[in-house]
Amino acid sequence: MIYGYCRVSTSKQNIERQIRNISEAFPNAQIKQEVYTGTKVLRRPEWSKLYKKVSNGDTIVFDSVSRMSRNADEGFNTYMELYNRGINLVFLKEQTINTDSYRSLADGKIKLSISTNDTDTDELVNDIITVVSKYISELAEKQIKLAFEQAQKEVDDLHQRTKEGIETARLEGKQIGGISGKKLTTKKSIEKKLEIQKHSIDFGGTLNDIDCMKLTGLSRNTFYKYKRELKEEISV
């Protein structure tokens, strides 16, 4: 099976880009997605289910390494656990650390035996080959660790820039966040208030609250909120 795993850090982010990228590369991938605000695996229900579900030969595709984990140690450990279970991992933006690439280095070490009919020479050459094979495997692991470390650094840097930006705005006397009690005026609110004012019996129209609510298509809470704001605006 081929699975695509997509994750966004907040509900305000758009997950469609990740889905589109994975679907274009792997049209048959089953997409698993979730909105997630932290970095602990146990708090990602879709990922936890997928992690337990996949078996030897399955593939999990990520748009980038940061979607699997933004914590370097956790990410590397999870990568190796899945690799050892025979799961193929694909990172569209960091393809050098795909498990196929790692496997070709780690599992496909230099398999060569030299025989010169000289025992000392054979031992020396074969020892060198063993050391080089180990070095290649360790180098591949370092590449994987580096990719997760870079993903974590990018997130940490973003948080720091956001924190500094908020502090700068505060020191400059700018409003941080919404002002309590302030009305949010949108094109929709203006149009719906005009409809309420035109048709509601409270403003000289012919419709009671229920009928006016149906006409405007507003929820109960929004309807009465707009109605209350209208009365306040008219009384000013």
Side-chain angles (χ1 to χ4, degrees), residues 129-140:
I129 291 174
T130 299
V131 171
V132 171
S133 294
K134 182 180 179 182
Y135 170 76
I136 290 174
S137 178
E138 291 177 348
L139 184 62

Side-chain angles (χ1 to χ4, degrees), residues 1 53-59 83-88 103:
M1 294 295 297
K53 180 179 182 180
V54 289
S55 57
N56 183 34
D58 287 344
T59 298
Y83 171 82
N84 290 326
R85 285 168 54 188
I87 311 303
N88 301 309
R103 188 174 291 109

